Each structure stands twice: as C-alpha cells, then as structure tokens.
Amino acid sequence: MSLGLAAGFWVIQPLVEGLEPLRAMAKYLAYINLAVGVFNLIPGYPLDGGRVLRAILWAITDNIRRATLIAAGAGRFFAYALILFGLWKMFTGDFGNGIWIAFVGWFLDNAAAAQIQQTMVKGLLTVTRFRRP
C-alpha cells in the first residue's frame, strides 16, 4: 500500500509543477511512503517482509509453528540491530534521531517477542500441528 502511494505521489509531482507548495507536499509524501514501504519489507516478523519470510519458511518446512518462530527470531535480530544503530546515533551526536530509531527497534522487539510467546502458548494448547492441506 505504501509503495503504491509513493508511486502515486511521484506521478502527481509533474502535474502540479507550477504550484510549488503542492509539488513539495507530493514529493515529501512520496519519500515518506517509500520509506515506510521499504521498512515494512524488512524480513522480520511481524512486519510485512517477515510475513513473506514466514510464508516461504512454511512452504519449505511444512510447519507453521516453526516458520513463525524463525521469522519472529529474524524480527528480533533486526530489532536489536535497530536498537544498536539508534544508540550509536545517540552517542555520536544525533540524539533525537537515534532515540527514535532505538524506540522503533524496541517496539519491533516487543512485537516479535509477543508473537513468539503467542506461538508457544498456542502450541501448548493445541494437539494438532498446523500444516498446509
């Protein structure tokens, strides 16, 4: 969705060439939506890229529980990378951006950890394994 919006705002820019405030807004919205779209493609669950990774792993392993755990583990890896990058930015003088990057990493880590916990509880409560038909 974000990548589609980025493309749409990119197409709008030449149409509003004479109206500089509208052109600047279209350009800004194109870049923001592109950044959100690319961020969501990170292969860490629960981001969209992590869901794609989980689907691929499910097709390979034929076990959704295992695929979910691996994809959520990848999500935690990327979360820790974001936290470390944010801390590095903070200590090298870019405190404002660094704290936000670290906060996004913390949020992603919490979401991935919650998904791991939910999968483990679901595995304990169910008798059947989740398999593709």
Side-chain angles (χ1 to χ4, degrees):
M1 181 73 165
S2 295
L3 296 177
L5 285 171
F9 285 119
W10 195 261
V11 169
I12 288 173
Q13 286 182 44
L15 301 175
V16 292
E17 190 68 37
L19 305 168
E20 198 54 40
L22 288 177
R23 185 179 169 280
M25 185 175 66
K27 185 177 182 178
Y28 178 74
L29 289 171
Y31 285 134
I32 292 297
N33 279 293
L34 180 65
V36 169
V38 169
F39 178 78
N40 277 332
L41 292 177
I42 292 174
Y45 201 72
L47 297 174
D48 293 339
R51 293 180 189 280
V52 171
L53 175 64
R54 181 178 76 157
I56 292 169
L57 292 171
W58 185 13
I60 292 170
T61 64
D62 201 30
N63 185 330
I64 194 167
R65 182 176 180 267
R66 184 172 178 203
T68 302
L69 292 175
I70 293 171
R76 293 194 84 186
F77 171 80
F78 284 107
Y80 291 135
L82 283 172
I83 291 169
L84 289 174
F85 181 66
L87 290 173
W88 177 76
K89 295 279 281 180
M90 287 169 55
F91 289 119
T92 57
D94 194 4
F95 188 81
N97 286 331
I99 199 161
W100 279 110
I101 292 169
F103 179 71
V104 168
W106 173 74
F107 179 77
L108 181 58
D109 179 51
N110 282 335
Q115 189 61 47
I116 290 171
Q117 188 176 30
Q118 179 183 2
T119 301
M120 297 301 284
V121 168
K122 188 184 284 187
L124 292 172
L125 295 175
T126 59
V127 177
T128 61
R129 294 187 111 152
F130 296 103
R131 293 191 179 269
R132 289 184 293 133

